[in-house]
Amino acid sequence: MYIYKVGVVGAGTMGAQIAEVVSYSGLPVVLADVNAALAKRGVDAVRAIYQARVDKGKMSAEQLAEKMLLVSASSGLESLKDVDLVIEAVSEDMKLKAQIFHELDQICPRNTILASNTSALSISALGAATMRADRVLGLHFFNPAYVMRLVEVIPGLATTPQTIDDAVSFVESIGKLPVVVKECAGFLVNRVLMAYVNEAVRALQEGAAPLQKIDQEMVSFGMPVGPLALLDAVGLDISFEVARILYRSYGPRMTPSPLLETMVKAGRLGVKSGHGFYDYVSGEERDQDQGLERLLQEVRARTGQGASPWSQSRLLLAMTNEAVTALQEGVASAGDIDLAMMAGIGYPKDKEGPLHFADRLGVDQVLHELEDLAQTLGPRFWPAPMLRRMVDAGFTGQVAGRGFFTY
Ligand SMILES: NC(=O)c1ccc[n+]([C@@H]2O[C@H](COP(=O)([O-])OP(=O)(O)OC[C@H]3O[C@@H](n4cnc5c(N)ncnc54)[C@H](O)[C@@H]3O)[C@@H](O)[C@H]2O)c1
């Protein structure tokens, strides 16, 4: 089915960005929120994204005006009765989203696809709030949607292959990169990312390395931003919430670092509150401040943990191990996992993703390093069973000519 018209529910940060992406591709889009003022604020945010491009000379004022003709505001959901696809982007609240899906199910034509931009909630449960679970799926855009190419396409338990195909074609038609991901907590990218950023917080908490060193080493590896600066940008409260959802699903290996929780409770939420791992208030340079130092001492005293050793592997292999676990579970193919990590979080292109990274390092080496890390740092590093199977069968990576990929 071709998508001729799109509705976006929730005209906040993501809703406005998604509406911009859709209109930029030439499709009309209705941006709905609870009242006219909020919907208009969303439309203004779409215009601001275009205006920034005009200011940079990347598009003309006429083009801006043309694109804006495609964007309309709506208070409430009634005006979504003639759209082919709805992308829901309201706050991350299951009750609210389920209610909206229930209402959309009454309003939209039977064939309309109902998609959610949720970061971590169950797509199957949203489908169950409707009489058309076959036409419900997740379309997970990344922030900022007008920059990030990746869109995770997440079928629920009852989503039909036709709906997946329709959604994939739509994502391609708006110039984005669709990766179909089997439903699981955190889907693919946030799940693999969390294993890495949570380990970075642990390393800091345990005094393995100072803040700047942790971030700088990952930037030197090729990441666009260090893991702790990334957490500050995303918001520590949102990150902690995602960490809790992942913990509920995956258990102890995803235990949120106590430091993360302590910082959220202390109101250090990152860039938006002026303080997180870095201080964004006291001057130009982001710097570590005494407030963080006090919290670190408090958490260290409470957890009674001594200093732990630092290595880049600690972070990089936490990510690779989770990627292998996702591969084992059939969440996505090896190629798609690497593609998604490059397009979704900026995993360095020359390293080609966490599974190519393992192939280059040697799958046997990855296995041995994870075994060492499990000994020294704890069972969260227990190697994904697939690694041992691969090593036993000689799939040891690039040097052997075969690993996660064939060479
Ligand atoms: N912010 C991010 O970086 C990011 C990235 C990927 C996915 N997401 C997901 O996208 C969704 C939206 O996040 P956000 O950051 O844009 O939130 P936001 O708080 O900026 O916007 C939510 C909007 O939904 C509106 N809303 C609330 N109830 C509504 C209703 N009943 N009907 C219509 N509109 C309603 C609010 O008025 C608000 O404008 C969440 O599920 C979030 O997990 C967020």
Side-chain angles (χ1 to χ4, degrees):
M1 187 186 90
Y2 191 77
I3 311 289
Y4 290 99
K5 189 172 180 184
V6 176
V8 174
V9 182
T13 309
M14 292 308 290
Q17 292 177 10
I18 294 167
E20 189 277 339
V21 170
V22 172
S23 60
Y24 188 70
S25 76
L27 290 178
V29 55
V30 182
L31 193 47
D33 210 300
V34 278
N35 59 44
L38 285 170
K40 182 180 174 302
R41 191 189 62 177
V43 173
D44 291 343
V46 175
R47 185 177 292 106
I49 297 169
Y50 280 129
Q51 187 60 50
R53 258 181 238 161
V54 173
D55 294 345
K56 284 186 193 148
K58 289 184 174 168
M59 74 190 289
S60 67
E62 290 73 32
Q63 283 170 320
L64 177 152
E66 256 172 45
K67 298 293 183 198
M68 287 309 295
L69 285 176
L70 296 167
V71 185
S72 54
S74 160
S75 66
L77 306 179
E78 276 304 322
S79 53
L80 302 177
K81 59 180 178 297
D82 64 344
V83 301
D84 307 301
L85 165 70
V86 179
I87 303 171
E88 166 279 311
V90 304
S91 331
E92 191 77 337
D93 173 342
M94 190 62 201
K95 228 169 128 189
L96 172 66
K97 285 184 194 275
Q99 177 59 31
I100 286 173
F101 271 69
H102 176 70
E103 284 176 37
L104 288 169
D105 194 34
Q106 322 270 312
I107 293 168
C108 299
R110 173 65 184 88
N111 212 29
T112 297
I113 297 174
L114 305 182
S116 175
N117 186 50
T118 177
S119 301
L121 298 174
S122 164
I123 302 300
S124 298
L126 290 175
T130 72
M131 301 295 284
R132 64 175 87 189
D134 58 313
R135 293 298 270 167
V136 172
L137 45 57
L139 282 183
H140 185 220
F141 289 75
F142 289 76
N143 186 2
Y146 47 89
V147 176
M148 306 301 287
R149 281 194 65 217
L150 183 70
V151 178
E152 290 179 315
V153 178
I154 309 116
L157 287 169
T159 312
T160 54
Q162 181 62 55
T163 303
I164 302 170
D165 285 353
D166 291 344
V168 165
S169 303
F170 164 74
V171 172
E172 283 169 346
S173 77
I174 59 170
K176 297 288 170 191
L177 178 73
V179 169
V180 179
V181 173
K182 196 162 110 183
E183 185 176 19
C184 61
F187 311 136
L188 173 61
V189 171
N190 281 342
R191 164 184 178 171
V192 174
L193 177 66
M194 186 53 75
Y196 159 79
V197 291
N198 196 35
E199 194 54 36
V201 182
R202 262 184 195 281
L204 176 67
Q205 178 192 309
E206 293 168 3
L211 175 66
Q212 288 83 355
K213 182 178 164 71
I214 295 172
D215 271 358
Q216 273 159 16
E217 287 207 18
M218 290 303 107
V219 171
S220 307
F221 176 77
M223 297 294 189
V225 57
L228 300 168
L230 177 66
L231 282 167
D232 273 356
V234 171
L236 268 56
D237 48 346
I238 291 174
S239 304
F240 181 59
E241 195 45 42
V242 173
R244 280 212 305 207
I245 289 171
L246 297 191
Y247 169 69
R248 224 179 291 139
S249 183
Y250 302 115
R253 76 171 188 274
M254 289 279 194
T255 306
S257 158
L259 176 60
L260 191 58
E261 179 168 12
T262 304
M263 288 177 72
V264 173
K265 282 190 178 147
R268 295 185 71 104
L269 307 182
V271 178
K272 64 183 165 192
S273 73
H275 298 86
F277 290 103
Y278 295 92
D279 177 356
Y280 299 90
V281 175
S282 69
E284 305 271 290
E285 281 284 298
R286 294 179 318 177
D287 221 341
Q288 193 170 345
D289 59 298
Q290 287 311 306
L292 176 65
E293 206 45 51
R294 269 196 303 277
L295 289 182
L296 275 169
Q297 298 307 336
E298 183 197 313
V299 175
R300 284 172 190 158
R302 182 154 41 86
T303 57
Q305 271 165 337
S308 63
W310 165 251
S311 67
Q312 280 197 0
S313 299
R314 188 174 169 168
L315 271 57
L316 294 173
L317 294 190
M319 186 188 272
T320 291
N321 205 26
E322 194 59 34
V324 179
T325 306
L327 178 67
Q328 266 174 198
E329 290 172 14
V331 170
S333 67
D336 277 355
I337 289 175
D338 273 4
L339 197 61
M341 296 317 291
M342 285 188 287
I345 66 145
Y347 198 98
K349 289 219 165 58
D350 60 334
K351 311 278 192 317
E352 294 183 77
L355 298 178
H356 271 101
F357 173 70
D359 270 358
R360 298 238 171 77
L361 192 59
V363 179
D364 44 350
Q365 177 67 19
V366 169
L367 177 64
H368 294 145
E369 283 196 36
L370 282 169
E371 284 171 339
D372 284 349
L373 287 166
Q375 285 285 329
T376 50
L377 297 176
R380 65 184 179 279
F381 283 99
W382 196 268
M386 184 175 187
L387 289 166
R388 195 175 305 283
R389 244 183 325 132
M390 289 175 71
V391 171
D392 289 348
F395 284 69
T396 49
Q398 197 168 23
V399 170
R402 57 188 188 167
F404 291 101
F405 304 91
T406 309
Y407 299 88

